[in-house]
Amino acid sequence: MNTSSKTLLKNYGLKVTANRLTILEMMKSVGHAVSQNDLKLMLNNSLDKVTVYRTLKTFQKAGIIHEILDGSVQVKYALCDISKCNADAHIHFKCNLCEKTFCLNSIKIPNISLPNGFMVSKQFVSFQGKCQGCS
Ligand SMILES: [Zn+2]
Ligand SMILES: [Zn+2]
């Protein structure tokens, strides 16, 4: 497991550190989006808030993870699909029962034409309902 996470960090030009590996492994294993707080709890508070925050920001900047605004109080993060982060291109789904947020990587956000003078820098399309696991 560690080998692939190490390779992933290296591929994205990041230095391999124990904290980065821990957070990356955790995000890989859960299979849904997590907030900074979720991560901290999942790691039994073994890493402090600042470390988790900085690591997430580093991952985000590098394109390993993307942020998700799904209507929750906290921003969530999920691993990016394949090798390139196309966070803007796919939709997200938040389950109202288990409160997990999933990347629906295969469903792309359709192109929307905006009125003159409007320019998009970020876009978030998120649906809510009941997930596969809760159905
Ligand atoms: Zn669910
Ligand atoms: Zn996503």
Side-chain angles (χ1 to χ4, degrees):
M1 265 314 155
N2 266 343
T3 331
S4 60
S5 291
K6 271 182 195 165
T7 313
L8 189 69
L9 287 174
K10 281 181 193 156
N11 286 348
Y12 282 88
L14 296 178
K15 227 168 74 184
V16 178
T17 68
N19 288 346
R20 284 177 183 172
L21 283 178
T22 306
I23 291 180
L24 193 56
E25 288 293 318
M26 190 56 94
M27 292 189 80
K28 273 185 177 176
S29 66
V30 289
H32 58 84
V34 289
S35 69
Q36 187 189 324
N37 220 22
D38 294 336
L39 269 176
K40 214 176 141 261
L41 290 176
M42 280 155 44
L43 296 164
N44 295 319
N45 294 314
S46 57
L47 297 178
D48 64 76
K49 208 167 104 184
V50 180
T51 307
V52 175
Y53 175 81
R54 281 199 192 134
T55 307
L56 287 171
K57 285 293 153 193
T58 305
F59 284 178
Q60 192 189 351
K61 225 172 135 189
I64 297 179
I65 61 170
H66 58 279
E67 62 176 4
I68 301 161
L69 302 183
D70 64 359
S72 306
V73 182
Q74 284 211 326
V75 177
K76 291 182 183 170
Y77 299 90
L79 289 171
C80 293
D81 195 22
I82 340 169
S83 57
K84 266 195 187 147
C85 196
N86 53 353
D88 288 345
H90 64 265
I91 68 160
H92 293 99
F93 190 97
K94 186 186 170 201
C95 176
N96 290 325
L97 294 176
C98 63
E99 304 220 312
K100 288 174 184 163
T101 298
F102 303 90
C103 291
L104 302 183
N105 287 311
S106 58
I107 304 173
K108 305 295 174 202
I109 299 175
N111 274 325
I112 294 164
S113 47
L114 293 168
N116 270 342
F118 289 86
M119 270 168 59
V120 177
S121 60
K122 279 184 185 181
Q123 53 177 348
F124 296 99
V125 176
S126 119
F127 291 84
Q128 292 191 9
K130 198 162 36 157
C131 77
Q132 267 178 341
C134 294
S135 288

